[in-house]
CSV table of all heavy atoms in Angstrom, one decimal:
chain,number,residue,atom,x,y,z
U,1,ASN,N,90.5,87.8,104.4
U,1,ASN,CA,89.9,89.2,104.1
U,1,ASN,C,88.5,89.1,103.6
U,1,ASN,O,87.8,90.1,103.4
U,1,ASN,CB,90.8,89.8,103.0
U,1,ASN,CG,90.9,89.0,101.7
U,1,ASN,OD1,90.7,87.8,101.7
U,1,ASN,ND2,91.1,89.6,100.6
U,2,GLN,N,87.9,87.9,103.5
U,2,GLN,CA,86.5,87.7,103.1
U,2,GLN,C,85.5,87.7,104.2
U,2,GLN,O,84.3,87.6,104.0
U,2,GLN,CB,86.3,86.4,102.2
U,2,GLN,CG,87.2,86.4,101.0
U,2,GLN,CD,87.2,85.1,100.3
U,2,GLN,OE1,86.6,84.1,100.7
U,2,GLN,NE2,88.1,85.0,99.3
U,3,TYR,N,86.1,87.9,105.4
U,3,TYR,CA,85.2,87.9,106.6
U,3,TYR,C,85.0,89.3,107.2
U,3,TYR,O,85.7,90.2,106.8
U,3,TYR,CB,85.9,87.0,107.7
U,3,TYR,CG,86.0,85.6,107.4
U,3,TYR,CD1,87.0,85.1,106.7
U,3,TYR,CD2,85.0,84.6,107.9
U,3,TYR,CE1,87.1,83.7,106.4
U,3,TYR,CE2,85.1,83.3,107.6
U,3,TYR,CZ,86.2,82.8,106.9
U,3,TYR,OH,86.3,81.5,106.6
U,4,SER,N,84.0,89.4,108.1
U,4,SER,CA,83.7,90.7,108.7
U,4,SER,C,84.8,90.9,109.8
U,4,SER,O,85.5,89.9,110.2
U,4,SER,CB,82.4,90.6,109.4
U,4,SER,OG,82.4,89.8,110.5
U,5,ILE,N,85.0,92.1,110.2
U,5,ILE,CA,86.0,92.4,111.2
U,5,ILE,C,85.9,91.6,112.5
U,5,ILE,O,86.8,91.0,112.9
U,5,ILE,CB,86.0,93.9,111.6
U,5,ILE,CG1,86.2,94.8,110.3
U,5,ILE,CG2,87.1,94.2,112.6
U,5,ILE,CD1,87.6,94.7,109.7
U,6,PRO,N,84.7,91.5,113.1
U,6,PRO,CA,84.5,90.6,114.3
U,6,PRO,C,84.9,89.1,114.0
U,6,PRO,O,85.6,88.5,114.8
U,6,PRO,CB,83.1,90.7,114.7
U,6,PRO,CG,82.6,91.9,114.0
U,6,PRO,CD,83.4,92.1,112.8
U,7,GLU,N,84.6,88.6,112.8
U,7,GLU,CA,84.9,87.3,112.4
U,7,GLU,C,86.4,87.1,112.2
U,7,GLU,O,87.0,86.1,112.6
U,7,GLU,CB,84.2,86.9,111.1
U,7,GLU,CG,82.7,86.7,111.2
U,7,GLU,CD,82.0,86.5,109.9
U,7,GLU,OE1,82.5,87.0,108.8
U,7,GLU,OE2,81.0,85.8,109.8
U,8,ILE,N,87.0,88.1,111.6
U,8,ILE,CA,88.5,88.1,111.5
U,8,ILE,C,89.1,88.0,112.8
U,8,ILE,O,90.0,87.2,113.1
U,8,ILE,CB,89.0,89.3,110.7
U,8,ILE,CG1,88.5,89.3,109.2
U,8,ILE,CG2,90.5,89.5,110.8
U,8,ILE,CD1,88.8,90.6,108.4
U,9,ASN,N,88.7,88.9,113.7
U,9,ASN,CA,89.4,88.9,115.1
U,9,ASN,C,89.2,87.6,115.8
U,9,ASN,O,90.1,87.1,116.5
U,9,ASN,CB,88.8,90.1,115.9
U,9,ASN,CG,89.3,91.4,115.3
U,9,ASN,OD1,90.4,91.5,114.8
U,9,ASN,ND2,88.6,92.5,115.5
U,10,HIS,N,88.0,87.0,115.7
U,10,HIS,CA,87.7,85.8,116.4
U,10,HIS,C,88.7,84.7,115.9
U,10,HIS,O,89.3,83.9,116.6
U,10,HIS,CB,86.3,85.3,116.1
U,10,HIS,CG,86.0,83.9,116.6
U,10,HIS,ND1,85.8,83.6,117.9
U,10,HIS,CD2,85.9,82.8,115.9
U,10,HIS,CE1,85.6,82.3,118.0
U,10,HIS,NE2,85.7,81.8,116.8
U,11,ARG,N,88.8,84.6,114.5
U,11,ARG,CA,89.7,83.6,114.0
U,11,ARG,C,91.2,83.8,114.3
U,11,ARG,O,91.9,82.9,114.6
U,11,ARG,CB,89.4,83.5,112.4
U,11,ARG,CG,88.2,82.7,112.1
U,11,ARG,CD,87.6,83.0,110.8
U,11,ARG,NE,86.3,82.3,110.6
U,11,ARG,CZ,85.2,82.7,111.2
U,11,ARG,NH1,85.2,83.8,112.0
U,11,ARG,NH2,84.1,82.0,111.0
U,12,LEU,N,91.6,85.1,114.2
U,12,LEU,CA,93.0,85.3,114.6
U,12,LEU,C,93.3,85.0,116.0
U,12,LEU,O,94.4,84.6,116.3
U,12,LEU,CB,93.3,86.8,114.3
U,12,LEU,CG,93.5,87.2,112.8
U,12,LEU,CD1,93.8,88.7,112.7
U,12,LEU,CD2,94.7,86.5,112.2
U,13,LYS,N,92.3,85.1,116.8
U,13,LYS,CA,92.5,84.8,118.3
U,13,LYS,C,92.5,83.3,118.6
U,13,LYS,O,93.2,82.8,119.4
U,13,LYS,CB,91.4,85.6,119.1
U,13,LYS,CG,91.7,85.6,120.5
U,13,LYS,CD,90.7,86.6,121.2
U,13,LYS,CE,90.8,86.2,122.7
U,13,LYS,NZ,89.4,86.2,123.3
U,14,ASN,N,91.6,82.6,117.9
U,14,ASN,CA,91.3,81.2,118.3
U,14,ASN,C,91.9,80.1,117.4
U,14,ASN,O,92.0,79.0,117.8
U,14,ASN,CB,89.8,81.0,118.4
U,14,ASN,CG,89.3,81.9,119.5
U,14,ASN,OD1,89.6,81.8,120.7
U,14,ASN,ND2,88.5,82.9,119.2
U,15,TYR,N,92.2,80.5,116.1
U,15,TYR,CA,92.6,79.4,115.2
U,15,TYR,C,94.1,79.2,115.3
U,15,TYR,O,94.9,80.1,115.7
U,15,TYR,CB,92.2,79.8,113.7
U,15,TYR,CG,90.8,79.6,113.4
U,15,TYR,CD1,89.8,79.5,114.4
U,15,TYR,CD2,90.4,79.5,112.1
U,15,TYR,CE1,88.4,79.3,114.1
U,15,TYR,CE2,89.0,79.4,111.7
U,15,TYR,CZ,88.1,79.3,112.7
U,15,TYR,OH,86.7,79.1,112.4
U,16,MET,N,94.6,78.0,114.9
U,16,MET,CA,96.0,77.7,114.8
U,16,MET,C,96.6,78.4,113.6
U,16,MET,O,96.1,78.1,112.5
U,16,MET,CB,96.2,76.2,114.8
U,16,MET,CG,97.7,75.8,114.7
U,16,MET,SD,97.9,74.0,114.9
U,16,MET,CE,97.8,73.5,113.2
U,17,LYS,N,97.5,79.2,113.7
U,17,LYS,CA,98.1,80.0,112.6
U,17,LYS,C,99.5,79.6,112.3
U,17,LYS,O,100.3,79.4,113.2
U,17,LYS,CB,98.0,81.5,112.9
U,17,LYS,CG,96.6,82.0,113.2
U,17,LYS,CD,96.6,83.4,113.7
U,17,LYS,CE,97.2,83.6,115.1
U,17,LYS,NZ,96.5,82.8,116.1
U,18,PHE,N,99.8,79.4,111.0
U,18,PHE,CA,101.1,79.0,110.6
U,18,PHE,C,101.5,79.5,109.3
U,18,PHE,O,100.7,80.0,108.5
U,18,PHE,CB,101.2,77.4,110.6
U,18,PHE,CG,100.5,76.7,109.5
U,18,PHE,CD1,101.1,76.3,108.3
U,18,PHE,CD2,99.1,76.4,109.7
U,18,PHE,CE1,100.3,75.7,107.4
U,18,PHE,CE2,98.4,75.8,108.7
U,18,PHE,CZ,99.0,75.4,107.5
U,19,LEU,N,102.8,79.5,109.0
U,19,LEU,CA,103.4,80.0,107.7
U,19,LEU,C,104.7,79.2,107.5
U,19,LEU,O,105.2,78.6,108.4
U,19,LEU,CB,103.6,81.5,107.7
U,19,LEU,CG,104.9,82.0,108.4
U,19,LEU,CD1,105.1,83.5,107.9
U,19,LEU,CD2,104.7,82.1,109.9
U,20,PHE,N,105.1,79.2,106.3
U,20,PHE,CA,106.4,78.6,105.9
U,20,PHE,C,107.4,79.7,105.3
U,20,PHE,O,106.9,80.5,104.5
U,20,PHE,CB,106.2,77.5,104.9
U,20,PHE,CG,105.9,76.2,105.6
U,20,PHE,CD1,104.6,76.0,106.1
U,20,PHE,CD2,106.9,75.2,105.8
U,20,PHE,CE1,104.3,74.8,106.8
U,20,PHE,CE2,106.6,74.0,106.5
U,20,PHE,CZ,105.3,73.8,107.0
U,21,VAL,N,108.6,79.6,105.7
U,21,VAL,CA,109.6,80.6,105.3
U,21,VAL,C,110.8,79.8,104.6
U,21,VAL,O,110.9,78.6,104.7
U,21,VAL,CB,110.1,81.4,106.4
U,21,VAL,CG1,108.9,82.2,107.1
U,21,VAL,CG2,110.8,80.6,107.5
U,22,ARG,N,111.6,80.6,103.9
U,22,ARG,CA,112.7,80.1,103.2
U,22,ARG,C,113.9,81.1,103.2
U,22,ARG,O,113.6,82.3,103.4
U,22,ARG,CB,112.3,79.8,101.7
U,22,ARG,CG,113.3,79.2,100.8
U,22,ARG,CD,112.7,78.9,99.5
U,22,ARG,NE,113.6,78.2,98.6
U,22,ARG,CZ,113.3,77.8,97.3
U,22,ARG,NH1,112.1,78.1,96.9
U,22,ARG,NH2,114.2,77.2,96.6
U,23,GLU,N,115.1,80.6,103.0
U,23,GLU,CA,116.2,81.5,103.0
U,23,GLU,C,115.9,82.6,102.0
U,23,GLU,O,115.6,82.3,100.8
U,23,GLU,CB,117.5,80.7,102.6
U,23,GLU,CG,118.8,81.4,103.0
U,23,GLU,CD,119.2,82.5,102.1
U,23,GLU,OE1,118.8,82.6,100.9
U,23,GLU,OE2,120.0,83.3,102.5
U,24,PRO,N,115.9,83.9,102.4
U,24,PRO,CA,115.4,84.9,101.5
U,24,PRO,C,116.0,85.0,100.1
U,24,PRO,O,115.2,85.2,99.1
U,24,PRO,CB,115.6,86.2,102.3
U,24,PRO,CG,115.6,85.8,103.7
U,24,PRO,CD,116.3,84.4,103.7
U,25,PHE,N,117.3,84.9,100.0
U,25,PHE,CA,117.9,85.1,98.6
U,25,PHE,C,117.7,83.8,97.8
U,25,PHE,O,117.6,83.9,96.6
U,25,PHE,CB,119.4,85.4,98.8
U,25,PHE,CG,119.6,86.9,99.2
U,25,PHE,CD1,120.8,87.3,99.5
U,25,PHE,CD2,118.5,87.8,99.2
U,25,PHE,CE1,121.0,88.7,99.9
U,25,PHE,CE2,118.7,89.1,99.6
U,25,PHE,CZ,120.0,89.6,99.9
U,26,GLU,N,117.6,82.7,98.4
U,26,GLU,CA,117.3,81.4,97.7
U,26,GLU,C,115.9,81.6,97.1
U,26,GLU,O,115.6,81.2,96.0
U,26,GLU,CB,117.4,80.2,98.6
U,26,GLU,CG,117.5,78.9,97.9
U,26,GLU,CD,117.7,77.8,98.9
U,26,GLU,OE1,118.8,77.6,99.5
U,26,GLU,OE2,116.7,77.0,99.0
U,27,ARG,N,115.0,82.1,97.9
U,27,ARG,CA,113.6,82.3,97.5
U,27,ARG,C,113.6,83.3,96.3
U,27,ARG,O,112.8,83.1,95.3
U,27,ARG,CB,112.7,82.8,98.6
U,27,ARG,CG,111.3,83.1,98.2
U,27,ARG,CD,110.4,83.5,99.4
U,27,ARG,NE,109.2,84.1,98.9
U,27,ARG,CZ,108.9,85.4,99.1
U,27,ARG,NH1,109.6,86.2,99.9
U,27,ARG,NH2,107.8,85.9,98.5
U,28,LEU,N,114.4,84.3,96.4
U,28,LEU,CA,114.4,85.4,95.4
U,28,LEU,C,114.9,84.8,94.1
U,28,LEU,O,114.4,85.1,93.0
U,28,LEU,CB,115.3,86.5,95.9
U,28,LEU,CG,115.3,87.8,95.1
U,28,LEU,CD1,113.9,88.4,95.1
U,28,LEU,CD2,116.4,88.8,95.6
U,29,VAL,N,116.0,84.0,94.1
U,29,VAL,CA,116.5,83.4,92.9
U,29,VAL,C,115.5,82.4,92.3
U,29,VAL,O,115.3,82.4,91.1
U,29,VAL,CB,117.9,82.7,93.2
U,29,VAL,CG1,118.3,81.8,92.0
U,29,VAL,CG2,119.0,83.8,93.5
U,30,SER,N,114.8,81.7,93.2
U,30,SER,CA,113.8,80.8,92.7
U,30,SER,C,112.7,81.6,92.0
U,30,SER,O,112.2,81.1,90.9
U,30,SER,CB,113.2,80.1,93.9
U,30,SER,OG,112.2,79.2,93.5
């Protein structure tokens, strides 16, 4: 969110994007 719109779009298009997830209720209890 600290980049300009064109910079954001460039990065979303070209960079490797990843996230980590967890069983939703286990995450909630945690």
